Amino acid sequence: MKKHIISLTLIVLVLLAGVIFYLARGDTARLAAGQDMGREPVFTAPRSEMFPTINVAEVDKWTADEEPVAAPGLKVERFAEGLDHPRSLLRLPNGDILVAETNSPPRPARSITGRVMAYLMNKAGAGAPSANRITLLRDADGDGRAETRSVLLSGLHSPYGMALVGNTLYVANTDALMAYPYKEGEIRITQKGRKILNLPAQAPNMHWTRSLVASPDGNLLYVGVGSNSNIGENGMETEANRASILEVNPASGDYRIFAAGMRNPVGLAFEPQSQQLWAVVNERDMLGADLVPDYLTRVEFGGFYGWPWNYWGGYEDDRVQPQRPELREYSKRADCSLGSRVAPLGLSFAGAAKLW
């Protein structure tokens, strides 16, 4: 009898896994490639989904003699390898490269949706514990390959954003903005950091990365804090200071919301000529494979970019309750669509590099 019960349980679990896998496949795109990109992307009618559309690629590591195929006139070479989930980079003035080896803090998956997402994250290689460190890579002979590697900072809490201003290295952990003394050429910082500001990280801390950039004069810092949900379903009270870019005075710790309504502003940069702040933003899920496009945009002070009530300057999301139709006319349209489900993680202006 016991064997029959175990067999029946296994059958049910297999069937349940099959149903979840089928539902998790998501929607199929109906737009032709490129139609959801540019300044005037095509928008389809929303299509309801139970899980976000996602297609996790199978991991296929490069062999020793392989390299990516770059655009004509460019070449990509292997600079370093064997890192533990490297997520963001910062080039220091002396040419050293800082790498945030990091991942999400522990987040128990209690719901079916959460378990499916955890499975997909694990499959994508994003389910391992965070290394919680910043590693320094140095290419002393300039041959395009780092000869030395050292742990500059350890014991952090899901670090992501980094910015160097003078002799201070700023690090954005998932829950705090920190400052560390820095001396050019050193390979290890042992001094205790100074906390500038607590950052929102309350459960479930859905978007945990904290992008970071310093103003051109170095007097202010800008921190991108993603939403704590897809469309506010965890309650807007959990979204305080989230889905926003915070402007921080590192000397005093004072801050204000510089721009709001950005679901996940995961990459920030200043354009060197205009000194205008730009961002790449990951938009909402579960409206079909063609919606909603992630975007690149200039960030205006006081700007509201729609989340969660609307997107792309006025398309209303009927799933969000209560509705806020009065916000529609104040919602800014992004400058450029990057396409749906592309999940951009950063941007960089070429400066003196000629990439065209």
Side-chain angles (χ1 to χ4, degrees), residues 11-25:
I11 292 172
V12 171
L13 289 174
V14 169
L15 289 174
L16 180 60
V19 170
I20 291 174
F21 177 78
Y22 176 79
L23 293 173
R25 293 183 308 165

Side-chain angles (χ1 to χ4, degrees), residues 62 66-71 74-78:
W62 297 351
E66 282 185 317
E67 59 187 36
V69 178
L74 299 176
K75 184 178 178 61
V76 177
E77 294 180 323
R78 195 176 314 215

Side-chain angles (χ1 to χ4, degrees), residues 221-290:
L221 299 173
Y222 295 84
V223 184
V225 183
S227 66
N228 203 17
S229 60
N230 182 32
I231 51 169
E233 66 273 11
N234 295 324
M236 292 306 293
E237 66 276 5
T238 72
E239 302 292 352
N241 291 332
R242 301 192 73 134
S244 301
I245 296 173
L246 306 182
E247 181 185 73
V248 183
N249 182 328
S252 65
D254 294 334
Y255 74 95
R256 62 180 176 177
I257 293 178
F258 187 81
M262 297 174 148
R263 180 175 174 270
N264 190 18
V266 74
L268 305 175
F270 277 92
E271 196 282 314
Q273 299 300 319
S274 67
Q275 298 192 345
Q276 170 78 51
L277 180 64
W278 286 70
V280 288
V281 178
N282 293 180
E283 253 290 357
R284 67 202 70 201
D285 294 320
M286 294 185 283
L287 287 178
D290 298 312

Side-chain angles (χ1 to χ4, degrees), residues 93-110:
N94 68 344
D96 288 345
I97 304 296
L98 300 186
V99 185
E101 295 183 81
T102 187
N103 210 339
S104 166
R107 293 181 296 181
R110 296 184 175 91

Side-chain angles (χ1 to χ4, degrees), residues 31-188:
L31 294 177
Q35 282 189 292
D36 59 350
M37 300 174 64
R39 295 184 64 87
E40 297 292 339
V42 175
F43 283 84
T44 64
R47 301 190 293 273
S48 179
E49 297 180 276
M50 181 175 292
F51 298 103
T53 296
I54 186 169
N55 184 18
V56 180
E58 296 295 332
V59 176
D60 187 12
K61 294 183 178 181
W62 297 351
T63 60
D65 58 348
E66 282 185 317
E67 59 187 36
V69 178
L74 299 176
K75 184 178 178 61
V76 177
E77 294 180 323
R78 195 176 314 215
F79 184 73
E81 56 189 325
L83 296 162
D84 189 347
H85 211 245
R87 287 295 301 263
S88 62
L89 304 174
L90 177 67
R91 185 181 187 275
L92 300 180
N94 68 344
D96 288 345
I97 304 296
L98 300 186
V99 185
E101 295 183 81
T102 187
N103 210 339
S104 166
R107 293 181 296 181
R110 296 184 175 91
S111 66
I112 292 178
T113 301
R115 288 177 179 141
V116 171
M117 291 307 298
Y119 164 77
L120 293 172
M121 291 296 103
N122 286 330
K123 185 178 179 182
S130 178
N132 287 331
R133 64 176 173 256
I134 291 175
T135 295
L136 184 146
L137 304 174
R138 179 169 293 167
D139 175 18
D141 59 10
D143 67 349
R145 181 178 287 269
E147 298 90 23
T148 61
R149 175 187 308 184
S150 56
V151 176
L152 185 72
L153 284 168
S154 60
L156 304 176
H157 190 203
S158 295
Y160 188 79
M162 299 171 285
L164 179 66
V165 179
N167 295 321
T168 303
L169 176 66
Y170 297 100
V171 177
N173 288 320
T174 191
D175 59 353
L177 178 60
M178 303 292 295
Y180 296 88
Y182 168 79
K183 182 179 180 181
E184 185 172 296
E186 68 180 354
I187 61 173
R188 176 75 176 173

Side-chain angles (χ1 to χ4, degrees), residues 260-261 300-307 310 312-314 324-334:
E300 298 184 19
F301 170 62
F304 174 69
Y305 292 82
W307 187 91
N310 59 74
W312 200 258
R324 294 286 303 277
E326 75 278 9
L327 295 177
R328 184 177 178 183
E329 65 177 302
Y330 301 107
S331 299
K332 292 188 175 296
R333 176 179 290 189

Side-chain angles (χ1 to χ4, degrees), residues 297-343:
T297 192
R298 290 168 291 182
V299 183
E300 298 184 19
F301 170 62
F304 174 69
Y305 292 82
W307 187 91
W309 294 279
N310 59 74
Y311 53 90
W312 200 258
Y315 289 89
E316 293 182 313
D317 192 333
D318 294 335
R319 300 172 299 172
V320 182
Q321 298 298 326
Q323 287 281 288
R324 294 286 303 277
E326 75 278 9
L327 295 177
R328 184 177 178 183
E329 65 177 302
Y330 301 107
S331 299
K332 292 188 175 296
R333 176 179 290 189
D335 285 282
C336 181
S337 166
L338 301 175
S340 299
R341 223 71 57 221
V342 297

